[in-house]
Amino acid sequence: MEETQRESMKYDVVIVGAGPSGLSTAIKLKQLASEHQSDISVCLVEKGSEVGAHILSGNVIDPKALNELIPDWKEKGAPLKTQVTKDSVRYLLTESITIPIPLPFAPSFKNHGNYIISLSNLCRWLAEYAESLDVDIFPGFPASELIFNNDKVTGIITGDMGVDSNGEKKLGYEPGVELKAKFTVLAEGCRGHLGKQIIKKYELDQGKDPQHYGIGFKEVWDLKPELHEEGLVIHTLGWPAKGTVSGSYFYHGENNQAYIGYVVPLDYKNPHLNPYDEFQQWKHQSSIIKYLEGGKRVSYGARALIKGGFQSLPKMDFPGGLLTGDNAGTLNFPKIKGTHTAMKSGMIAAESIFESFVNNESEPNLESYEEKFSSSWIHNELHLARNWNPLLHKFGPYFGVLLAGIDQFLFRGKLPFTLRAKNPDHACLEEADKMPKIPYPKPDGKVSFDKLSSVFLSNTNHAEDQPCHLVLEDETIPIDQNLPLYDEPAQRYCPAGVYEIIEEEGQKKFQINAQNCVHCKTCDIKDPAQNINWVTPEGTGGPNYPNM
């Protein structure tokens, strides 16, 4: 087979992913170089069509890390404009009954001093700031492969452009570029496909709990002005969750807009559960729908979130590089916040890299990253939150929530023991014939909507004639194994209608509509056979979120 000839570029540091951790790494590196009158070349690649195109988060941000990184962010015009004015925590008993939860009993939901933002817009602003420091940012260039030399990572290869669905080169084919580096930072976000490879190759998760995940949905709504309460933050538990500790958020942002969403933990047991339909049903709860009536939905998206926490953190340094942010799992799940921790992890990564860089080490040692991480506030924050997820994982939506509340409210996360949650999410499904089927109401087209109309609002697009980026290890498993055992749950857990069971000539067939994929990674996580491997599609493919 003919070897592909690739252009090669050299940098001191290559960063994969223009999310909060990757951008913070880049900015901090350049700041340190300026302080020490040194020069360090930094390149950042992003698979989305632009910075922010693939960024999705609630988002109420704790500005703690931003204050450290860019203390004068207000004067520089960072898009943090809506300060939280009121918190409301609610238990939804039924579609019509809401029980308020006093804030002192839910301390992790206290948001005094935080801001309601669009994380995609914050990342765009951070990217502009990074570019002003001479960081090279290349959107539309997915990092498809790692470069190894003597078992050490020495850079990445961006994805080829112009390859057809059979793997043949089309007219206008352009090979990916080799970006070689002394240090490679993987800041891909939750379930990054290169991070997954690195964790497996170097056994970085040895002795750790398996990582745990949820699927998070988000919609942006234009509300009627008289129903909008700028600065109001609402969190709910309860209805319509069916045996899961699912929760929601409703954030009243600026310009009469609301950011609303729903999170379903991916350790659910019933394969008939449909996370998307749960979200749509939730909007009909009486205390929620009152805000949405007469409003207009303007955007939709979905993304897996990483929630294993302290016990699931892998070793974050590897030969030639580091894992940061949600690629490692730095989300504080009780607070449902990960932006500030992702940024801080990136800043610590930059300090460790720069230390090794200025020492001009022939064999760079990045083990100081773990040491710096362990002595920082991020470590303390995650340690105090460590028992939240195991309590919910072990004891479920009622007793588990009670115990988790006691852990955080009475003991402030300082219980004298650490619980474990060793059952991976994909292994939690029960067989379909042992679980009750779940009827969901049809969407009304006003407040609740079908999947395809939602995908349309995500501005998702992929070139159709390209290799499928949802790779089946064994093409027989969906029909021969998952369908009889679990009624093929991919039909329901995918938030974009990518997977279908169809009939052709009397035979059932597993159809993959890859062009619908919003890059949430849920299939890579929840498939009970671990048979679906998400890899990067051609550059610029996927959602194009304008304000998420």
Side-chain angles (χ1 to χ4, degrees):
M1 185 175 177
E2 183 183 350
E3 187 175 342
T4 302
Q5 298 298 310
R6 302 183 185 277
E7 181 184 349
S8 181
M9 300 170 67
K10 289 186 177 181
Y11 285 88
D12 294 317
V13 183
V14 167
I15 301 167
V16 179
S21 72
L23 288 163
S24 297
T25 305
I27 290 168
K28 187 66 176 178
L29 278 167
K30 285 294 190 176
Q31 289 173 337
L32 290 168
S34 177
E35 289 169 15
H36 292 82
Q37 298 182 331
S38 180
D39 185 37
I40 186 167
S41 58
V42 181
C43 164
L44 192 154
V45 295
E46 163 57 40
K47 64 185 174 66
S49 60
E50 63 170 352
V51 173
H54 289 178
I55 297 293
L56 182 148
S57 179
N59 180 291
V60 170
I61 186 174
D62 180 341
K64 189 175 188 177
L66 184 59
N67 290 337
E68 294 180 13
L69 183 66
I70 309 171
D72 58 346
W73 56 264
K74 286 185 182 179
E75 291 77 11
K76 292 186 182 301
L80 282 72
K81 298 176 182 176
T82 304
Q83 197 157 7
V84 176
T85 57
K86 182 181 178 182
D87 281 295
S88 175
V89 184
R90 309 169 182 182
Y91 185 82
L92 309 182
L93 190 63
T94 66
E95 187 174 356
S96 59
I97 299 174
T98 301
I99 301 172
I101 300 174
L103 200 57
F105 291 98
S108 63
F109 292 107
K110 186 177 180 181
N111 285 289
H112 177 73
N114 297 337
Y115 291 81
I116 300 168
I117 68 163
S118 157
L119 185 58
S120 57
N121 286 340
L122 177 61
C123 287
R124 291 182 179 102
W125 182 84
L126 288 170
E128 290 176 3
Y129 190 87
E131 286 180 321
S132 75
L133 302 176
D134 292 327
V135 174
D136 290 342
I137 299 180
F138 301 128
F141 286 86
S144 64
E145 298 176 50
L146 292 161
I147 301 172
F148 291 93
N149 185 14
N150 294 327
D151 203 41
K152 172 187 170 184
V153 175
T154 56
I156 59 102
I157 301 174
T158 65
D160 295 347
M161 303 284 283
V163 178
D164 69 19
S165 56
N166 295 316
E168 300 294 326
K169 297 174 183 176
K170 297 187 288 188
L171 190 66
Y173 165 78
E174 292 183 17
V177 177
E178 288 185 346
L179 295 173
K180 296 183 176 180
K182 297 174 185 175
F183 308 93
T184 302
V185 178
L186 300 181
E188 305 163 279
C190 177
R191 196 73 168 191
H193 88 112
L194 296 182
K196 187 173 74 166
Q197 292 174 34
I198 283 292
I199 291 169
K200 182 178 180 181
K201 176 178 175 61
Y202 294 113
E203 299 181 332
L204 302 181
D205 56 353
Q206 192 170 38
K208 307 287 187 174
D209 285 0
Q211 194 53 262
H212 297 283
Y213 304 88
I215 177 170
F217 298 88
K218 182 177 181 179
E219 292 178 351
V220 180
W221 281 68
D222 289 334
L223 303 186
K224 294 174 71 174
E226 62 269 26
L227 298 177
H228 183 257
E229 300 178 43
E230 187 167 326
L232 172 61
V233 165
I234 300 169
H235 290 103
T236 80
L237 288 169
W239 189 91
K242 299 165 183 68
T244 65
V245 192
S246 301
S248 77
Y249 60 89
F250 199 122
Y251 303 153
H252 289 247
E254 61 181 331
N255 301 323
N256 294 320
Q257 284 198 324
Y259 304 145
I260 74 171
Y262 195 81
V263 177
V264 177
L266 288 178
D267 61 354
Y268 65 81
K269 296 179 180 179
N270 190 339
H272 301 297
L273 188 145
N274 189 317
Y276 175 87
D277 286 345
E278 301 248 319
F279 172 39
Q280 298 304 311
Q281 189 176 13
W282 164 80
K283 289 185 286 182
H284 287 273
Q285 210 276 341
S286 59
S287 70
I288 302 301
I289 196 172
K290 70 178 186 179
Y291 293 111
L292 301 178
E293 288 175 336
K296 180 183 179 183
R297 185 177 71 147
V298 296
S299 193
Y300 164 85
R303 186 74 169 90
L305 57 88
I306 195 161
K307 65 182 185 68
F310 188 79
Q311 296 90 312
S312 300
L313 279 174
K315 188 175 186 290
M316 293 181 285
D317 65 275
F318 54 87
L322 299 171
L323 295 169
T324 66
D326 278 358
N327 220 3
T330 58
L331 176 82
N332 183 331
F333 186 46
K335 291 186 175 183
I336 324 176
K337 286 180 178 55
T339 302
H340 68 300
T341 51
M343 292 180 70
K344 183 63 175 177
S345 73
M347 293 156 65
I348 297 169
E351 292 168 2
S352 302
I353 289 170
F354 191 76
E355 200 173 83
S356 179
F357 176 77
V358 295
N359 289 336
N360 201 24
E361 297 171 351
S362 57
E363 286 297 324
N365 184 353
L366 294 174
E367 290 185 0
S368 66
Y369 179 44
E370 295 268 351
E371 297 167 9
K372 293 177 185 294
F373 189 95
S374 296
S375 61
S376 73
W377 56 256
I378 183 176
H379 180 275
N380 184 57
E381 189 173 312
L382 294 179
H383 186 262
L384 292 176
R386 71 196 183 283
N387 284 325
W388 180 274
N389 186 66
L391 286 167
L392 302 184
H393 194 77
K394 285 175 177 287
F395 299 107
Y398 303 112
F399 194 44
V401 169
L402 175 64
L403 292 175
I406 291 171
D407 169 55
Q408 291 296 304
F409 171 60
L410 289 181
F411 293 94
R412 304 293 177 178
K414 296 178 180 178
L415 285 169
F417 52 81
T418 297
L419 296 173
R420 312 298 292 266
K422 295 190 174 182
N423 197 24
D425 293 344
H426 70 266
C428 292
L429 280 181
E430 301 284 349
E431 293 182 10
D433 60 4
K434 296 178 181 176
M435 301 300 291
K437 291 194 173 182
I438 303 174
Y440 290 100
K442 289 185 177 181
D444 65 2
K446 297 177 182 178
V447 171
S448 50
F449 305 90
D450 62 78
K451 280 186 183 179
L452 292 183
S453 65
S454 296
V455 174
F456 177 78
L457 285 181
S458 71
N459 303 306
T460 295
N461 184 56
H462 295 87
E464 289 194 29
D465 189 18
Q466 65 171 299
C468 182
H469 67 280
L470 303 161
V471 181
L472 301 181
E473 302 292 338
D474 183 338
E475 294 187 356
T476 68
I477 282 178
I479 298 301
D480 293 350
Q481 183 174 315
N482 284 355
L483 186 62
L485 288 177
Y486 306 108
D487 194 27
E488 185 44 84
Q491 302 175 87
R492 291 172 293 281
Y493 61 60
C494 174
V498 169
Y499 301 103
E500 294 181 283
I501 302 294
I502 62 172
E503 281 203 20
E504 284 187 356
E505 299 178 354
Q507 298 291 318
K508 292 191 185 308
K509 179 184 175 183
F510 187 62
Q511 179 164 295
I512 301 176
N513 306 308
Q515 66 273 19
N516 285 4
C517 179
V518 294
H519 297 199
C520 75
K521 316 285 184 70
T522 304
C523 56
D524 192 296
I525 297 163
K526 188 60 177 174
D527 179 65
Q530 291 294 275
N531 186 49
I532 302 174
N533 186 31
W534 191 99
V535 299
T536 51
E538 196 169 278
T540 76
N544 284 279
Y545 296 135
N547 193 33
M548 298 289 256

